[in-house]
Every structure is written in structure tokens, then in C-alpha cells.
Amino acid sequence: MFTPNHTNFSHPTFFLASAPGLGSAGFWLAFPLCSVYLMALAGNGAVVFIVRTEMSLHSPMYFFLCMLAAIDLVLSTCTMPRLLFLLWFDAREISFGACLIQMFFIHSMSAIESTILLAMAVDRYMAICHPLRHAAVLTNPVTVKIGLAAVARGVMFFLPLPLLILRLTFCGSKVLSHSYCLHQDVMNLACTSTTVNVIYGLAAIVLVMGLDSLLIALSYFMIIKAVLQLSSRRERVRAFSTCVAHLCVVLAFYVPLIGLSVVHRFGKNLTPLVHVIMGDIYLLVPPLLNPVVYGVRTKQIRRRILRCILHQ
């Protein structure tokens, strides 16, 4: 029995948002979403496998790409199966503990992905602006250390979010705005003061995603400045072309993130369907697009994938 307003102060059960207004169409919507999820798994899994097994790809740029694919695998896997289960079986209930675990993985993985995107921007900056120092500075051991630092940063900044939720009391509606658990969404259901949650959540977002986006923009400003100083038009086009894939991935990550933040801050009067769609786009688009973009733009990965397909 669906009773979203029942009271449980210690361990409340939350109710995920399905696609309102779709009715039975939500059941059929799950099939294309399942296809998207399987394509994301196959694409990112292929990238991880190819980079790991192809010795010629054991360089910083491809290691960063492998990390990005691994993050997308974790992000999509911690959200999509639950969404499909919701649409097919109307299983909207999620326990308090499961909600906090999902919240931690979503926020921490997003932070790690943001850090890796920044590292890839620095890699492009070094390759274009300081090509002679690039190989000496960004070595494989340094790349591994950057990956470990990204994980530590994501955990350090976003582990407190579910811990801060533990101190809140929930005594009203338990219906979330999305088909998964986000800190700001769960926090808004509390009937006690959320000032600490608001301040810390905003600080974490600004110090991670906000700072990363500014540094990425600064990296590309310096890249553009250096490229425009090249005398040959052909050299300028070639230099810019090495950044196209990374720019597409950056936009695929930050545009839905900004859109979701705007909807949360200023979209209280919007229909629930808008919140659900923006939330699903935020978690579905990057895992699907990233392997496609790099598969198309990277010759080595494209050739290896074609070789695997043709040999089967």
C-alpha cells in the first residue's frame, strides 16, 4: 500500500518519483531506457577493456579516458537498474540506508568525474602549450596518482552528505522529486533545520564542480590563446581537433548538471515531470555519449572496436 505520508522518525522509507502523467506508457518507456543502459555498459566496458589490454594505449590520455569510462559504469549501474525496476514493477519504495548509499555514490562519482575532466583539460593544455614538457610531467605513475587523488577528493567532500542526512528528522511527505536519491532532494523533505546541510552542500559543489569548471575554462582560454598564435591555419585546426572530444564530454557533463541545479533552485513551480526528466538526463547522457564521442574521435579505439567486430 502506497502511504507516502506515514511517519517514521528513525528510519523513514522514501518513495522515488516515477514519470508522472505517463500512466502505463512508463512501462514501455523502460524498454528504450534499458537499451540505453545496455549501450552505455557496452560502450564504457569496451573502452576500459581496450585501454587495459592494448599496450600502445598505455599513456596518460587513455588512462584518463579509462577512468572516465569506469566512473560512468558505476554511476549508471547504481541508478539505472533501480529506475527500470520502478517503471516495470512500480517499485517506488527505497529504504533509508539504500537511499543514503545511492546518494553517496551519485555525488562522489560525479565529483570524481569532474576531477578527471579537469585532469584531461590539463593534459590537453600541456600537450598543446608545452609539448616538450608534456611527456616528462604527465607520466603514467603521475596519472595513477591523479586518479587516486580524484577518488580521495570525491569521498572526502561528499561522504559527509549522507552523514548530515542522518541528523535530520522526517515527519511529512517522503516522496522524492527524482527516480534516485540526491542530497538536496532528500534534505528538502526534512521537518527540522537544514541550514548545515545547505551550507555544506553548496560549499562542496562550489569547491569541486564549481572550481573544476573554472579551471577547465582557464585551461581552454590558455589553449585558444596559444593556438591562435600558430602561423599555419592547418596547425591551428589540428591543435583544436585534439580538444573536440574532451570539450564534448565536458559539455555533456556540466550542461545537465547546471540544468538540474537550476531546476532545483528556481523550478519549484515546474511540473514534477520536468524534475524527473532533468534528473534522468543528468545521469543517462554522459555514460551514453562519452564512449561514443571518444570512439568516433580516437583512431586507436575505433580501429580496435572495428577489429573486434570484424573478427567475430
Side-chain angles (χ1 to χ4, degrees):
M1 185 97 180
F2 180 58
T3 55
N5 290 319
H6 75 277
T7 301
N8 187 332
F9 291 95
S10 56
H11 297 289
T13 296
F14 294 110
F15 295 86
L16 302 173
S18 59
L22 293 182
S24 60
F27 176 85
W28 301 106
L29 177 64
F31 289 96
L33 288 178
C34 183
S35 301
V36 169
Y37 174 54
L38 293 176
M39 286 189 288
L41 286 182
N44 288 290
V47 170
V48 172
F49 175 77
I50 290 169
V51 173
R52 185 176 178 182
T53 57
E54 190 72 40
M55 294 299 295
S56 62
L57 300 182
H58 288 186
S59 62
M61 184 180 76
Y62 296 108
F63 281 143
F64 286 137
L65 179 55
C66 184
M67 294 175 196
L68 200 64
I71 293 165
D72 286 338
L73 282 172
V74 175
L75 258 180
S76 56
T77 300
C78 74
T79 55
M80 277 304 298
R82 197 72 181 77
L83 173 59
L84 295 174
F85 202 69
L86 184 155
L87 293 174
W88 276 327
F89 305 105
D90 197 30
R92 299 180 63 184
E93 291 189 33
I94 183 169
S95 68
F96 186 70
C99 188
L100 294 188
I101 291 171
Q102 188 183 59
M103 178 195 304
F104 166 70
F105 274 105
I106 290 174
H107 287 293
S108 62
M109 288 296 119
S110 297
I112 296 169
E113 182 161 355
S114 177
T115 306
I116 296 301
L117 289 174
L118 172 60
M120 295 172 79
V122 173
D123 175 75
R124 290 298 85 210
Y125 164 74
M126 291 296 297
I128 293 173
C129 299
H130 303 284
L132 298 179
R133 296 175 55 197
H134 177 243
V137 173
L138 279 173
T139 61
N140 289 347
V142 169
T143 304
V144 173
K145 289 178 183 177
I146 291 173
L148 293 175
V151 173
R153 185 185 186 219
V155 172
M156 180 181 69
F157 273 96
F158 289 97
L159 180 59
L161 293 187
L163 299 179
L164 288 173
I165 293 293
L166 288 171
R167 55 181 284 278
L168 300 179
T169 301
F170 300 88
C171 52
S173 172
K174 308 297 189 305
V175 182
L176 299 171
S177 302
H178 301 292
S179 54
Y180 49 84
C181 295
L182 290 177
H183 172 254
Q184 58 267 41
D185 198 13
V186 176
M187 174 190 70
N188 289 335
L189 299 180
C191 54
T192 50
S193 174
T194 59
T195 303
V196 175
N197 296 69
V198 171
I199 293 174
Y200 185 84
L202 182 60
I205 291 292
V206 170
L207 291 174
V208 179
M209 282 76 161
L211 180 61
D212 289 351
S213 60
L214 287 176
L215 293 175
I216 290 171
L218 177 62
S219 297
Y220 273 100
F221 172 78
M222 298 173 73
I223 287 171
I224 291 171
K225 184 179 177 182
V227 170
L228 291 178
Q229 292 176 351
L230 296 175
S231 56
S232 169
R233 182 179 179 275
R234 186 176 178 180
E235 288 180 352
R236 290 197 296 268
V237 171
R238 199 167 95 180
F240 274 129
S241 67
T242 63
C243 301
V244 170
H246 180 254
L247 274 174
C248 291
V249 170
V250 168
L251 292 175
F253 177 79
Y254 281 104
V255 171
L257 175 63
I258 294 170
L260 183 63
S261 300
V262 170
V263 166
H264 267 288
R265 296 294 177 189
F266 308 107
K268 297 186 184 297
N269 296 325
L270 295 174
T271 63
L273 184 60
V274 174
H275 289 264
V276 174
I277 291 174
M278 283 302 302
D280 290 343
I281 287 175
Y282 166 60
L283 288 181
L284 284 176
V285 170
L288 179 64
L289 284 186
N290 291 353
V292 173
V293 169
Y294 273 100
V296 170
R297 294 292 307 177
T298 309
K299 286 182 180 180
Q300 293 89 332
I301 294 177
R302 186 170 65 246
R303 287 173 181 170
R304 181 63 188 271
I305 292 175
L306 289 174
R307 195 189 317 158
C308 292
I309 294 173
L310 293 175
H311 284 177
Q312 286 181 353

